[in-house]
Amino acid sequence: MAQGRSRFGQLLLKKGIITPDILDKALQIQEEETGPNARELGKILVHDFNINHDAVYGLLAEMYAFRTIELDPQKLDESEIDRMKQLLSKFPEDFRKELVYKKCLPYRIAFGHRNTLIILAADPTIKLLESIPHKTEFKKYEVVYCRLSILEELIELVAPQKNEFLELFEEADEQIEETSSSDKDLDEYALDEEINKSLLVNLFEACLVEAVRKGASDIHIIPFEKSNVDFYFRIDGKLTKWYRQENTSPEAIAAVVKDRAEGVDRFERATAQDGFAQRMIDNHLIRFRISIIPITSTEFTRNFESIVIRTIDDRNVITDLKKLGFQAKAEEDFFRSINKSKGIVMVTGPTGSGKSTTLMAALYNVIDPSKCVLTVEDPVEYSIHGARQLKISNRLTFEQAIRAILRHDPDIVMVGEIRDKTTAETAVKLANTGHLTFSTLHTNDAPSAISRLYKMGVEPFLLAYTINIIVAQRLVRKLCTHCREPLGEDKYKAALRLGLTQEDLDSGKVYQAGPGCKKCHNGYKGRVNICEALYFSPEVRKTVAESGTEIDEDKIREVAEGQGMLSLLESGLDRIRNGLTTIEEIEYATSED
């Protein structure tokens, strides 16, 4: 086996940090990479498979006997932070930037026979010493390992990232005057003057940088009254205002976005448009998908536009199924389903419920060089290593692409969404002819997905014997572990009504959101899924196949729950009992049930 050639890989396996399958795939990638850009095994595992950075590099530090330093950045006093700033300032600017980019930071001087500069590094094996400028007062260096999470906090204190666009914008002291021209006689030259005078290009670029750094999935740019524009970030599923640009015509902001994007017409203001952009932000290529639609306002003579920009950051792709956080039974059934040679694996839920994330992780689990993997998505967001992704265009529609894949000798197919009878029948045909098929559907729960497919025209007996599993999921915000608070007694009644017991409340493990802190957004940080995984066991298949003119969703649910399936609500209650989320989040996510 491939992993036999890697001592470090064997240690990772022994510690349970990775699986043999992941190691084999990582070593294969390593073999394929040549030249100056070839990466070490640790980097491949962290960046391509999302393995925990500290788990990988902590073990690497132990293997090569690097010293480890543990500290709490929040407990450092101002003098210690100033000392680190002074040490960093002794290096040339370009090298300072390189240190910070590589997650390294001068820590302190160890005085002795030859004063030694201690440098903290998230990767202690980094080739750093040979690139240190010679003209410095330091003659001796020691690189020690420090956890990435600690170093990132230290960097925020010692050398916070600057948003140069935002700084330039804030330095502009000239305010523009409100425009009064209507859309019909809009002076494009005056618009350009307004854009340049107010440095709106810097505002837009700063917005993109901030959105990526804050982990926003979307940016909303919305006209507010006649001469103001609001910028919102969607973080952990919730819209939060980032900035309001005052005394500026919404047309000017829209013109900037269009000028800085591809595929849109600046002078078209009466129809919907889709475009894209890409930027290098913090040394990573980030893509942006841009949607522009005309909207009405109180000023009927002007055509305002709403703009939504989706941030597509490949660093957020989850490739390890275990990191999806499925509960035990759901994870077991899902693994079993995606490792079959044929059948349909379906994920259902509303927009923004993490369906694509789950399917991406599933695909990465089954992709293999010996298999032909095809995907049909509209639009394609993330590049999937090892898959052939069909590009939808005016000359190749989604429906035409669906038909084309049948003739392209696939082993595994991902159909972005089952939209109608054609796509439903194609998915069933693929599953029946020995292909593993992944897809999504918009329904509230797992049993109702069967009803939806039946109403599209797929017979119950075909559904019964082609589907492997249907996963209905939602994403709920996770509580910040630093500021969460025990559930207040005033919320006990709501908790009991939701389904928690008095014993749960007395356990001390049920929490509510805290006031918020530096590490979170209003008491929450990140999201976790809740799901019901309807695995098609022989009993479930029999129940579906025997359906008459109506699919009996209640009976299917009863059979599945009898075999251990958690409903969305029960899955949510389990998350609450483990202190991960709040009763408000679960109540909101399952309200339609």
Side-chain angles (χ1 to χ4, degrees):
M1 292 178 67
Q3 64 259 32
R5 298 191 296 273
S6 169
R7 179 183 162 219
F8 181 46
Q10 289 290 347
L11 283 173
L12 289 164
L13 284 176
K14 188 176 180 180
K15 295 282 186 178
I17 296 170
I18 59 173
T19 64
D21 184 52
I22 287 175
L23 181 56
D24 276 337
K25 290 178 179 178
L27 289 171
Q28 186 170 6
I29 291 171
Q30 190 179 31
E31 285 180 5
E32 292 170 358
E33 293 184 353
T34 56
N37 294 322
R39 295 174 295 164
E40 297 87 0
L41 179 61
K43 281 195 174 78
I44 294 170
L45 289 170
V46 171
H47 293 104
D48 293 18
F49 296 90
N50 279 328
I51 305 301
N52 181 272
H53 182 284
D54 294 328
V56 171
Y57 286 99
L59 184 62
L60 197 62
E62 183 183 324
M63 187 172 100
Y64 288 110
F66 283 96
R67 278 203 306 135
T68 297
I69 286 183
E70 288 282 346
L71 55 90
D72 185 350
Q74 300 303 317
K75 292 182 179 179
L76 294 177
D77 58 37
E78 286 299 322
S79 63
E80 291 174 298
I81 294 170
D82 287 341
R83 182 193 66 210
M84 293 175 71
K85 287 180 179 179
Q86 289 171 12
L87 289 173
L88 186 62
S89 69
K90 293 182 184 295
F91 293 100
E93 184 179 355
D94 287 346
F95 189 70
R96 289 202 302 268
K97 288 182 179 178
E98 186 182 357
L99 279 173
V100 172
Y101 168 63
K102 291 179 177 178
K103 305 300 180 194
C104 301
L105 208 58
Y107 178 47
R108 65 166 125 93
I109 297 173
F111 295 100
H113 175 62
R114 296 180 68 187
N115 295 346
T116 301
L117 177 65
I118 307 296
I119 299 178
L120 305 178
D123 172 8
T125 64
I126 194 167
K127 294 176 181 177
L128 180 70
L129 298 182
E130 58 266 36
S131 61
I132 290 179
H134 295 297
K135 294 181 180 180
T136 64
E137 62 187 73
F138 308 113
K139 303 302 179 186
K140 192 175 180 182
Y141 305 88
E142 181 189 2
V143 177
V144 302
Y145 168 68
C146 182
R147 287 189 288 123
L148 178 63
S149 54
I150 293 174
L151 260 172
E152 287 177 335
E153 279 192 65
L154 282 173
I155 288 170
E156 277 300 304
L157 294 170
V158 176
Q161 291 175 308
K162 294 181 179 179
N163 189 331
E164 294 173 1
F165 295 109
L166 196 57
E167 288 179 348
L168 286 170
F169 177 72
E170 289 172 345
E171 285 171 6
D173 55 3
E174 234 181 339
Q175 289 294 328
I176 59 167
E177 294 181 3
E178 173 185 327
T179 181
S180 58
S181 59
S182 70
D183 185 73
K184 292 180 181 177
D185 60 356
L186 193 63
D187 186 338
E188 297 295 344
Y189 291 105
L191 205 62
D192 280 333
E193 185 179 346
E194 181 181 4
I195 290 167
N196 295 330
K197 190 176 182 182
S198 56
L199 295 180
L200 295 183
V201 169
N202 287 326
L203 173 61
F204 174 62
E205 294 296 336
C207 175
L208 298 183
V209 172
E210 287 298 295
V212 171
R213 288 179 178 172
K214 291 179 181 296
S217 61
D218 300 89
I219 303 163
H220 288 241
I221 304 175
I222 313 164
F224 179 76
E225 298 177 343
K226 60 183 179 180
S227 59
N228 300 311
V229 180
D230 286 337
F231 290 73
Y232 284 83
F233 290 162
R234 187 178 292 280
I235 299 173
D236 293 338
K238 301 293 182 183
L239 283 176
T240 306
K241 185 191 286 187
W242 172 66
Y243 185 79
R244 171 170 290 173
Q245 174 64 13
E246 299 178 337
N247 301 322
T248 303
S249 65
E251 292 94 339
I253 299 285
V256 168
V257 175
K258 292 174 182 178
D259 284 345
R260 305 289 292 172
E262 300 287 338
V264 292
D265 181 356
R266 167 177 170 169
F267 305 104
E268 177 57 70
R269 299 184 178 92
T271 188
Q273 297 191 74
D274 290 317
F276 67 93
Q278 59 184 34
R279 301 285 189 274
M280 286 296 294
I281 297 176
D282 299 333
N283 293 94
H284 290 278
L285 180 65
I286 310 295
R287 299 187 301 279
F288 300 91
R289 197 177 76 227
I290 301 170
S291 170
I292 305 172
I293 58 173
I295 58 173
T296 59
S297 72
T298 54
E299 298 199 30
F300 297 114
T301 58
R302 296 170 70 176
N303 283 347
F304 288 167
E305 294 169 290
S306 170
I307 301 170
V308 174
I309 304 171
R310 168 65 56 89
T311 61
I312 301 170
D313 187 344
D314 289 323
R315 292 172 295 178
N316 296 330
V317 174
I318 296 175
T319 56
D320 182 359
L321 264 179
K322 289 188 177 295
K323 291 194 174 182
L324 291 175
F326 281 140
Q327 283 135 323
K329 180 70 165 59
E331 184 179 89
E332 179 188 338
D333 288 341
F334 195 66
F335 266 103
R336 192 187 315 170
S337 299
I338 67 173
N339 284 296
K340 292 185 177 182
S341 60
K342 61 181 180 179
I344 297 173
V345 173
M346 187 174 298
V347 184
T348 182
T351 301
S353 59
K355 299 187 297 294
S356 297
T357 300
T358 298
L359 286 188
M360 289 279 286
L363 268 180
Y364 271 107
N365 193 264
V366 298
I367 283 178
D368 185 278
S370 66
K371 297 184 178 74
C372 171
V373 181
L374 299 176
T375 76
V376 184
E377 309 157 80
D378 187 19
V380 174
E381 290 192 345
Y382 294 99
S383 176
I384 305 172
H385 184 76
R388 305 174 209 178
Q389 297 170 269
L390 276 71
K391 186 177 181 180
I392 305 301
S393 65
N394 293 333
R395 301 184 65 181
L396 180 64
T397 66
F398 189 84
E399 289 70 24
Q400 289 171 329
I402 288 289
R403 293 189 181 95
I405 57 177
L406 291 167
R407 302 186 295 272
H408 212 73
D409 188 31
D411 296 291
I412 299 169
V413 173
M414 184 173 83
V415 179
E417 181 186 345
I418 292 182
R419 302 178 173 185
D420 50 29
K421 184 178 180 180
T422 301
T423 49
E425 287 179 340
T426 303
V428 169
K429 186 173 182 179
L430 283 164
N432 270 331
T433 52
H435 303 88
L436 185 61
T437 307
F438 297 92
S439 193
T440 67
L441 195 65
H442 288 279
T443 61
N444 287 334
D445 57 26
S448 64
I450 303 170
S451 296
R452 177 71 58 84
L453 292 169
Y454 173 62
K455 288 172 184 175
M456 284 182 180
V458 184
E459 293 298 325
F461 74 90
L462 286 174
L463 295 173
Y465 294 103
T466 55
I467 297 176
N468 293 347
I469 194 170
I470 300 175
V471 176
Q473 68 178 49
R474 304 284 188 278
L475 291 177
V476 296
R477 290 183 295 171
K478 287 175 67 176
L479 280 166
C480 171
T481 55
H482 296 277
C483 68
R484 66 185 181 183
E485 300 173 343
L487 188 69
E489 291 188 12
D490 59 318
K491 296 184 178 181
Y492 277 19
K493 189 174 180 180
L496 294 169
R497 186 172 61 246
L498 189 65
L500 291 173
T501 65
Q502 189 61 47
E503 185 180 352
D504 293 329
L505 300 178
D506 294 339
S507 69
K509 295 181 180 179
V510 179
Y511 295 91
Q512 63 187 26
C517 64
K518 292 181 180 179
K519 296 179 180 289
C520 69
H521 304 287
N522 301 317
Y524 295 93
K525 183 173 177 61
R527 291 190 287 177
V528 66
N529 74 23
I530 59 171
C531 76
E532 58 180 27
L534 175 57
Y535 179 71
F536 274 55
S537 64
E539 293 79 13
V540 170
R541 293 189 192 280
K542 185 172 183 292
T543 305
V544 174
E546 290 176 351
S547 298
T549 56
E550 289 291 330
I551 301 292
D552 190 340
E553 296 178 19
D554 291 335
K555 187 174 181 182
I556 293 170
R557 176 177 294 282
E558 183 183 337
V559 172
E561 289 183 353
Q563 296 179 339
M565 181 188 83
L566 293 178
S567 67
L568 280 168
L569 178 57
E570 283 297 332
S571 176
L573 292 174
D574 181 68
R575 299 299 194 195
I576 294 173
R577 293 185 188 106
N578 284 288
L580 292 175
T581 191
T582 62
I583 58 173
E584 291 87 358
E585 284 291 300
I586 299 304
E587 200 166 34
Y588 177 77
T590 61
S591 57
E592 68 272 13
D593 302 320

